[in-house]
Amino acid sequence: MTNDVMALTPRMPDPASLAAALYAGGPALELTVTGDGAVIHLCTAAGRPVVSVEAPLLVHVPDEAQRLLGTDAATPATPYWWTEVRASTAAPGAHELAESVCGRLTMLLGGSTWPPGGARTARVTVPDEPGSRPGAQPVPTVDVLTDSTAVVLADRPLLFLTAWLSDLLRAAARSNRALHLVTPADARLTAPLRTALGPPPNRWVVHDPRGGYYDGLSGVPLVWQNGTFMPTADMPTDAFTAEAAPEEQRQLTLAFRTVHTPDQRLVLGRALEAAWRHLTGTPPVGWGTAEPVNLPWSPEQLTDLARDRAPAPTQLVVVGAPDRTAIATQRISRTTAGVAEEIRLTLGYEHPQHVPLDALESLATTLATEHGLTTMLVTLRAARCDLTVPAQWEPPPIPVSFTLGPRDVRTIGRAVASRPPIDMRPRPVGSPAEPGLHYPLGDGTQPSAWAALQRLGAHLRTPTPTPN
């Protein structure tokens, strides 16, 4: 039984319907708001958060519910409203309250709930318990909170980067805590959540059906000790390595950075769109600041959002059409060099022969010539073509190519950058007068490409001697 319940409605949850839904807990519960108004928390009188209700999202992106909830998810016609409710497992009656909030919304507005059959409308009484006031609660609606760690128990099949989880990651960081997501062994993460979770001290903690816990990304065994999950060995558990990764399926990842001169006419997102079109033949379908991705693709609109948030950075998630599996994360920030876009685009392929390796050099030319490319690293790995992250071992990615943009070639010196200590020679890309350099490293099957990349990186970082 999942702790998360969604209401998918054809009509907007207006203040009146939201008030009726939130009243499912009766007048004893209080409301607090976090995440710049994006998350409402129902709290007991003692200040204990028991249910989180995310601000309703108007989803314009087809098949987004099927991507995140499964192919059997029933949705109204696009666009529709997605309201997500999460219950704390630490509060008795919280799950029933979450179901009642969603059930009341669909009763008033039409539509459906997920999981199917998880709706009720009766008032639910949540017993009060002593606790801190809401203002003193540094990390809301978690299942276990210690001095060092916020623990969330999650049992949905696929975990994704919701506004609530984004808020939780920020709140945990502000309070100097790690966030630990605890799931069953068959759960998976989306690529944006995997990226946002980052390295330890944040962790994906997997419950081993044979007993104990292990890290879902490294496989090392974990134990609950001194209020947090700690590794007990360096080697991965048998449960992590027992199931092999798909032999035929592949993931191609492009990690690239562009820098632009600040200008009122600047439109961001065009480098990502160019890469998407080059490799798939179509543009992205949708974008947003979290999952579900709810807005139709529009470089102009995402530029407006980034401009409104500046000088603070903007984090985005971008998705494509369901018949061409691709997903990207994009970070937009102001730097001393200008406006930077850091993009990580991953594409899935059912068979190795479908991977368009021969298109990478021409893409590098386009990005270097038209989109202010500074660097691009392309890697290939054997992994799920649906781009989700399982709690099992997958082979590490292998470098395919590295591209250095014209500005960095000029800074390093073309003579130095053109003569790296690797077997394969770089190829000029972009303007003949001021080119970038594209370094082929292999076809993604030779692990020795990592050593070549390290030698290349050391060479490019070596200061150029100045003449006497």
Side-chain angles (χ1 to χ4, degrees):
M1 178 177 65
T2 178
N3 301 325
D4 308 292
V5 188
M6 290 77 165
L8 310 172
T9 62
R11 294 161 52 200
M12 181 181 73
D14 59 337
S17 57
L18 274 174
L22 295 173
Y23 199 71
L29 295 182
E30 301 178 357
L31 301 182
T32 63
V33 180
T34 60
D36 297 326
V39 185
I40 301 172
H41 305 283
L42 284 172
C43 305
T44 65
R48 180 185 191 180
V50 292
V51 163
S52 297
V53 182
E54 296 191 16
L57 281 175
L58 182 60
V59 177
H60 292 267
V61 180
D63 297 297
E64 185 67 352
Q66 287 70 32
R67 179 178 77 89
L68 298 174
L69 304 179
T71 55
D72 59 345
T75 63
T78 307
Y80 59 88
W81 291 88
W82 177 311
T83 307
E84 182 151 347
V85 182
R86 186 187 188 274
S88 169
T89 60
H95 178 76
E96 290 76 10
L97 176 58
E99 289 185 330
S100 192
V101 169
C102 287
R104 290 183 174 209
L105 285 176
T106 55
M107 178 186 69
L108 294 170
L109 305 172
S112 61
T113 60
W114 184 92
R120 63 180 72 211
T121 57
R123 181 180 294 181
V124 177
T125 301
V126 178
D128 199 1
E129 295 182 12
S132 60
R133 297 298 304 164
Q137 181 73 15
V139 185
T141 325
V142 297
D143 299 298
V144 178
L145 186 65
T146 71
D147 291 340
S148 65
T149 307
V151 179
V152 171
L153 307 180
D155 54 4
R156 66 169 62 168
L158 181 65
L159 276 74
F160 46 92
L161 186 62
T162 63
W164 168 74
L165 267 177
S166 296
D167 180 42
L168 193 54
L169 282 163
R170 290 190 294 268
R174 285 194 300 267
S175 63
N176 294 317
R177 287 176 168 87
L179 175 64
H180 289 182
L181 295 177
V182 183
T183 75
D186 58 355
R188 291 169 289 123
L189 309 184
T190 64
L193 178 56
R194 165 67 184 94
T195 300
L197 195 60
N202 294 336
R203 287 190 185 277
W204 178 17
V205 180
V206 177
H207 182 229
D208 189 337
R210 290 170 285 190
Y213 298 88
Y214 62 90
D215 188 293
L217 301 176
S218 68
V220 298
L222 302 172
V223 65
W224 181 257
Q225 181 178 322
N226 299 325
T228 193
F229 283 98
M230 298 286 293
T232 60
D234 295 331
M235 298 299 294
T237 64
D238 292 341
F240 183 74
T241 58
E243 187 175 349
E247 291 186 4
E248 288 292 304
Q249 297 178 29
R250 294 291 185 272
Q251 289 181 10
L252 182 71
T253 298
L254 295 79
F256 61 100
R257 187 173 189 267
T258 65
V259 177
H260 314 276
T261 301
D263 189 293
Q264 285 299 318
R265 295 169 297 177
L266 174 64
V267 178
L268 300 168
R270 287 180 171 169
L272 175 57
E273 180 174 335
W276 212 295
R277 286 183 181 274
H278 200 89
L279 297 174
T280 71
T282 60
V285 171
W287 71 284
T289 57
E291 295 177 289
V293 172
N294 65 310
L295 298 171
W297 176 247
S298 170
E300 292 78 13
Q301 289 183 3
L302 72 84
T303 301
D304 290 340
L305 175 66
R307 186 173 286 121
D308 290 343
R309 291 188 171 187
T314 296
Q315 304 274 2
L316 303 175
V317 179
V318 183
V319 298
D323 59 347
R324 176 56 276 153
T325 308
I327 194 166
T329 55
Q330 180 173 1
R331 186 179 192 271
I332 301 168
S333 59
R334 289 296 302 267
T335 70
T336 55
V339 181
E341 296 179 279
E342 297 172 64
I343 297 165
R344 184 179 180 87
L345 168 61
T346 301
L347 304 98
Y349 301 91
E350 291 186 356
H351 302 286
Q353 59 267 31
H354 296 164
V355 182
L357 296 181
D358 56 354
L360 296 176
E361 185 174 342
S362 57
L363 172 59
T365 298
T366 299
L367 295 177
T369 304
E370 303 175 15
H371 298 286
L373 179 71
T374 61
T375 59
M376 180 169 67
L377 175 64
V378 181
T379 59
L380 186 65
R381 68 185 306 192
R384 296 175 62 109
C385 64
D386 66 3
L387 307 184
T388 62
V389 182
Q392 66 186 56
W393 183 84
E394 291 182 317
I398 296 177
V400 172
S401 65
F402 178 76
T403 305
L404 197 64
R407 189 190 68 175
D408 290 64
V409 171
R410 184 175 65 250
T411 301
I412 294 169
R414 185 172 177 181
V416 173
S418 298
R419 296 178 175 86
I422 59 176
D423 295 335
M424 304 184 77
R425 297 294 91 188
R427 299 166 186 165
V429 293
S431 167
E434 195 171 4
L437 290 173
H438 180 71
Y439 303 85
L441 298 170
D443 62 1
T445 62
Q446 306 100 344
S448 60
W450 277 116
L453 179 63
Q454 290 173 345
R455 292 196 303 272
L456 173 61
H459 175 75
L460 297 176
R461 288 191 298 268
T462 302
T464 303
T466 55
N468 295 326

